[in-house]
Amino acid sequence: MKIVVTGGLGFIGSHTVVELQNEGFEVVAIDNLSNSSESVLDGIFNITGKKPIFEKIDLRDKSSVHNFFKKHQDVAGVIHFAASKAVGESVENPLLYYENNINALVYVLQELKELPNSNFIFSSSCTVYGQAEKMPITEDASIQTAMSPYGNTKQIGEEIITDTAKVTNINSILLRYFNPIGAHSSAEIGELPLGIPQNLVPFITQTAHGLREKLSVFGSDYPTPDGTAVRDYIHVVDLAKAHVIALKRLIDKQNLSKVETFNLGTGTGSSVLEVINAFEKVTGQKLNYQIVGRREGDITSAYANTDKANTVLGWKSQLSLEEALASAWKWEKKIRS
């Protein structure tokens, strides 16, 4: 079966390509390489013994999207990762986020609705909950006003998919991730942000390696046990495996509705300082960090209630925070060697 993975050379996309190929799927990876590198294909090959078909396409170009699906009419499913994803950057450059995250989604769905049977997995985010009123967050939690343009694009994206599924043959699963971290245990693929990292863990590993002078901890006055923001950090390999399980659910027609939603996390919240301490413990590296003011768009706390994913999807995170941090450090050392 041929599966299209948009953003397939990105952080989560590349790990999902690996898991799909390990399960025997034929994968076509689309990427515009705006935040990834073609060298990721070598890492995927070194793990699985096979390279996915790769097409360099910018999904904001409607004609390119149309031509791609004309060429690949035998697609059994699409996993849609391609999107800009940094909260801070989205506050500074909202139009980039609306163009990239909304237009690309619309163009892909326009093509999928022409296929006889379309299975669509959407890379969503816990940011759709805004600052949830209650922890842990269930899928029934109300969708709050988005705290950033990035979060808003995920909310709008989910609405577009839901509206489209009602009147087309598209079946979809919305996967709301919490905070993906780590790298493949082989250190062949991992998180490779271009420029200054927007996420905590690559900033930690780059600081530990000496690439960054110091790590900024944004805010120490949150109403949390140690004053720093709390998130649910999930190992990227666990996350990738969830996509394969969700895809099979649609292919096997086990979905109970046209659009289903699942939270993907560990169910445990960790503060920024707890992550720093865990990293220092597992690696033996002391981190140079400083407390600075809060960052616009950040929320206080977010961690998942994973009961629905555990029982309905039959998926559960297996890897610990410490294992994720150790793998991220192993990856960092490899790419800097």
Side-chain angles (χ1 to χ4, degrees):
M1 279 189 175
K2 184 187 283 186
I3 306 301
V4 173
V5 180
T6 74
L9 302 193
F11 175 40
I12 308 168
S14 60
H15 286 83
T16 302
V17 170
V18 163
E19 297 303 326
L20 286 166
Q21 291 192 167
N22 283 344
E23 291 289 317
F25 288 101
E26 181 187 1
V27 180
V28 186
I30 293 176
D31 209 294
N32 68 355
L33 305 179
S34 62
N35 196 31
S36 58
S37 162
E38 210 166 329
S39 64
V40 173
L41 290 166
D42 297 325
I44 294 169
F45 175 79
N46 291 340
I47 297 168
T48 65
K50 187 179 180 186
K51 278 189 184 179
I53 301 164
F54 172 60
E55 299 253 8
K56 186 183 176 187
I57 293 174
D58 191 322
L59 295 175
R60 292 173 294 184
D61 181 356
K62 187 173 182 175
S63 61
S64 295
V65 180
H66 176 70
N67 291 337
F68 172 85
F69 281 97
K70 207 170 167 188
K71 182 177 168 185
H72 298 279
Q73 293 184 4
D74 54 343
V75 168
V78 172
I79 303 180
H80 184 58
F81 293 107
S84 303
K85 62 179 180 59
V87 168
E89 183 186 46
S90 77
V91 173
E92 292 164 12
N93 195 349
L95 289 177
L96 167 73
Y97 275 66
Y98 288 116
E99 181 192 29
N100 201 30
N101 296 7
I102 303 300
N103 291 14
L105 171 65
V106 168
Y107 298 155
V108 170
L109 291 175
Q110 282 174 336
E111 298 304 322
L112 286 185
K113 74 179 176 61
E114 302 304 322
L115 299 178
N117 182 30
S118 293
N119 301 307
F120 188 73
I121 307 292
F122 181 57
S123 165
S124 193
S125 166
C126 64
T127 56
V128 300
Y129 299 115
Q131 179 54 69
E133 291 155 0
K134 212 165 71 173
M135 294 293 145
I137 302 169
T138 68
E139 288 82 355
D140 299 329
S142 60
I143 302 297
Q144 303 286 340
T145 301
M147 302 281 283
S148 67
Y150 164 70
N152 202 24
T153 65
K154 291 301 181 184
Q155 290 182 359
I156 295 166
E158 288 193 2
E159 291 168 3
I160 290 168
I161 293 162
T162 302
D163 290 342
T164 304
K166 283 176 189 167
V167 293
T168 65
N169 53 4
I170 295 172
N171 286 280
S172 181
I173 292 180
L174 314 175
L175 296 177
R176 292 174 178 164
Y177 331 147
F178 282 67
N179 290 64
I181 60 169
H184 195 270
S185 59
S186 64
E188 290 289 347
I189 55 173
E191 192 165 7
L192 189 62
L194 302 183
I196 297 171
Q198 301 278 346
N199 294 337
L200 175 62
V201 171
F203 215 112
I204 284 176
T205 58
Q206 289 189 13
T207 303
H209 207 278
L211 216 68
R212 308 282 161 203
E213 186 191 344
K214 65 177 81 152
L215 169 72
S216 293
V217 175
F218 296 105
S220 61
D221 58 348
Y222 285 104
T224 61
D226 63 20
T228 62
V230 169
R231 298 290 184 270
D232 186 337
Y233 295 94
I234 174 174
H235 198 301
V236 66
V237 172
D238 280 336
L239 188 63
K241 287 178 176 173
H243 288 76
V244 181
I245 292 168
L247 180 69
K248 286 179 174 176
R249 179 175 173 82
L250 292 182
I251 290 171
D252 296 340
K253 303 195 183 325
Q254 294 174 330
N255 49 310
L256 302 179
S257 58
K258 292 275 287 175
V259 179
E260 294 183 318
T261 305
F262 296 95
N263 285 341
L264 297 180
T266 65
T268 302
S270 302
S271 73
V272 175
L273 288 181
E274 284 175 331
V275 174
I276 289 171
N277 292 334
F279 178 82
E280 290 182 337
K281 187 177 165 193
V282 297
T283 65
Q285 300 287 317
K286 287 301 288 179
L287 278 172
N288 182 23
Y289 67 89
Q290 65 175 2
I291 308 287
V292 297
R294 292 188 186 190
R295 183 173 55 181
E296 193 179 347
D298 279 346
I299 58 172
T300 300
S301 180
Y303 55 97
N305 178 316
T306 60
D307 291 349
K308 187 179 176 188
N310 299 162
T311 54
V312 180
L313 264 191
W315 168 89
K316 195 174 193 322
S317 65
Q318 304 291 331
L319 299 161
S320 68
L321 174 66
E322 289 75 17
E323 286 171 303
L325 292 169
S327 68
W329 180 233
K330 184 180 175 185
W331 163 250
E332 185 73 42
K333 287 191 293 186
K334 185 194 174 197
I335 58 176
R336 305 299 167 200
S337 61

